[in-house]
Amino acid sequence: MVESSDAVALSGLRKVFGSGADAVTAVDSVDLAIRDGEFFSMLGPSGSGKTTVLRMIAGFELPTAGTILLGGVDVSRKAPFERDVNTVFQDYALFPHMSVADNIAYGLKVRGVRRDERRRRAGEALETVRLSGYGARRPGQLSGGQRQRVALARALVNRPKVLLLDEPLGALDLKLREEMQVELKAIQREVGITFVFVTHDQEEALTMSDRIAVFRAGRIEQVGTPAEIYEFPATDFVAGFVGTSNLLRGETARTVVGTEGTFSIRPEKLRIVAQDAAVAADECVADGSVADVVYVGAATRFLVDLDAGGRLVVLQQNVETSSSEVTSWRDRRVRLLWRRDQLFRLPDVAAESGAELPHSPLDAVPAHTG
């Protein structure tokens, strides 16, 4: 259902490349409403359809079927320049022979905006992206992060209703990318424009987004806030793709959880204790052996083979652990504990078995009694 507050509304959106036996369905019946003023991310692996959806919103691709509304207006068949959107690409596409200010003002010049107005608005855009005083420089004199900000300023100077961002941080190194994630979200809050962000980086999406759509094979698996996507995954694909998730199913679930179904538990929820440690009434327990240990600086990742079958990943903050202790953990017998309310039954699997679907962490799993 399209609401008046929706900046972007997609209905039955479908895109097929090729024809006949060679036809490839890149996007298959996507329905999506993006609210005015929100930071919305489309997250998924390569080939999931997220970039094709972005290109259809921008007008670079026309849909095979379905409609695209921008601010309630059907733009499904309109050219890119007829849509009130701008796009920021991963490669920035800056003119190397132009100054930063001229790069930013170029779109205004094409539209016939007066020179003094172009300069004023380019200066405002530079101030918005924290680059005041850089207008006279050439792109080659800037760092990767600064060029990314110039590309953003160039898109913002036209004051679009919707800004589309196609993996704009992908070319940056890890530290700069993390800094720009925070900066980009701050800029979005400041300007109040709807941002539609495409990424395959789950941490990026979780860090910046108001809401996320997780794509797989041309379809949307789940839409929700970062907390909803992470804590309550709708499918095993979402549970595995967004962060690291341990899945308990089959005989392992029956033994450890005490009931049928497929369940998700995040690595940071698990605690490693001595094998004879007591188990509280509200806890689940699984015994096993440490198969491997990975020291990653701030935390240590333990891979534990369960006696009940399967393997769980445990993430433990290095409050007391040091790298010198890592090898001593291998092959050690351990007990894993976690609270029952931290275990989540995957809804799609529950639906297939005819069970009632919980809409919160599992509240129907019996406590471990032994």
Side-chain angles (χ1 to χ4, degrees):
M1 181 178 179
V2 178
E3 301 288 345
S4 59
S5 59
D6 290 338
V8 181
L10 312 178
S11 179
L13 199 63
R14 180 178 172 84
K15 180 63 179 181
V16 179
F17 292 100
S19 60
D22 297 326
V24 175
T25 302
V27 177
D28 192 7
S29 302
V30 166
D31 297 317
L32 183 63
I34 301 173
R35 300 163 190 154
D36 188 35
E38 77 174 334
F39 196 121
F40 191 95
S41 289
M42 294 191 289
L43 172 68
S46 297
S48 62
K50 60 190 186 300
T51 297
T52 302
V53 169
L54 191 84
R55 290 178 60 82
M56 285 192 283
I57 296 172
F60 302 139
E61 300 284 355
L62 294 179
T64 305
T67 59
I68 302 169
L69 303 184
L70 294 177
V73 177
D74 190 342
V75 298
S76 307
R77 299 292 159 181
K78 290 188 176 182
F81 63 84
E82 296 178 294
R83 308 182 185 206
D84 196 3
V85 302
N86 269 14
T87 307
V88 178
F89 300 100
Q90 181 175 336
D91 62 4
Y92 313 142
L94 301 176
F95 298 115
H97 64 285
M98 289 185 181
S99 69
V100 166
D102 287 343
N103 263 282
I104 294 171
Y106 181 76
L108 299 175
K109 183 178 180 180
V110 171
R111 294 186 179 191
V113 177
R114 296 191 321 271
R115 178 180 295 183
D116 58 341
E117 178 68 6
R118 295 200 306 265
R119 288 177 177 172
R120 184 185 66 80
R121 287 172 60 175
E124 289 177 351
L126 278 171
E127 187 175 344
T128 297
V129 298
R130 322 321 188 220
L131 285 179
S132 296
Y134 284 74
R137 298 192 187 188
R138 297 289 177 89
Q141 297 174 300
L142 304 179
S143 68
Q146 289 168 338
R147 288 196 296 273
Q148 194 272 346
R149 294 188 194 196
V150 173
L152 182 60
R154 185 179 57 186
L156 292 173
V157 76
N158 289 315
R159 300 170 183 169
K161 293 285 188 183
V162 179
L163 187 64
L164 308 175
L165 302 104
D166 187 9
E167 304 205 45
L169 308 183
L172 305 179
D173 62 64
L174 177 60
K175 183 174 179 58
L176 183 55
R177 189 163 68 244
E178 291 175 344
E179 291 173 358
M180 286 306 302
Q181 289 169 10
V182 176
E183 191 71 19
L184 197 58
K185 180 59 181 176
I187 291 170
Q188 189 268 339
R189 288 196 186 106
E190 183 177 323
V191 298
I193 293 174
T194 302
F195 277 28
V196 182
F197 189 93
V198 163
T199 182
H200 65 272
D201 188 319
Q202 55 204 269
E203 183 177 332
E204 206 165 73
L206 292 171
T207 298
M208 296 188 292
S209 309
D210 296 316
R211 287 191 303 146
I212 301 169
V214 182
F215 279 74
R216 180 192 187 192
R219 291 177 174 270
I220 293 176
E221 293 266 311
Q222 185 176 357
V223 178
T225 65
E228 289 168 346
I229 295 289
Y230 187 82
E231 298 288 349
F232 313 126
T235 67
D236 56 354
F237 172 79
V238 176
F241 185 75
V242 182
T244 300
S245 185
N246 295 301
L247 296 181
L248 300 170
R249 53 162 63 97
E251 186 60 36
T252 302
R254 283 189 289 273
T255 302
V256 175
V257 182
T259 189
E260 297 279 349
T262 297
F263 307 91
S264 170
I265 180 72
R266 295 292 184 181
E268 67 273 14
K269 308 292 187 183
L270 304 175
R271 292 184 291 118
I272 295 182
V273 297
Q275 200 169 26
D276 59 353
V279 182
D282 65 344
E283 289 182 320
C284 289
V285 59
D287 292 331
S289 299
V290 177
D292 203 357
V293 186
V294 181
Y295 180 82
V296 291
T300 297
R301 188 179 297 116
F302 299 85
L303 281 67
V304 179
D305 288 333
L306 303 183
D307 295 346
R311 172 177 286 184
L312 295 184
V313 178
V314 183
L315 190 66
Q316 181 173 287
Q317 293 298 311
N318 289 334
V319 178
E320 298 178 353
T321 306
S322 68
S323 58
S324 62
E325 301 176 50
V326 167
T327 56
S328 68
W329 278 92
R330 292 192 181 98
D331 300 322
R332 185 183 298 187
R333 295 287 298 171
V334 295
R335 169 164 286 182
L336 303 183
L337 297 179
W338 64 90
R339 297 202 319 265
R340 295 175 57 243
D341 62 1
Q342 294 172 331
L343 194 65
F344 183 71
R345 186 198 302 268
L346 294 180
D348 58 335
V349 177
E352 291 172 4
S353 66
E356 183 179 352
L357 300 183
H359 298 287
S360 60
L362 199 66
D363 54 18
V365 175
H368 189 274
T369 56

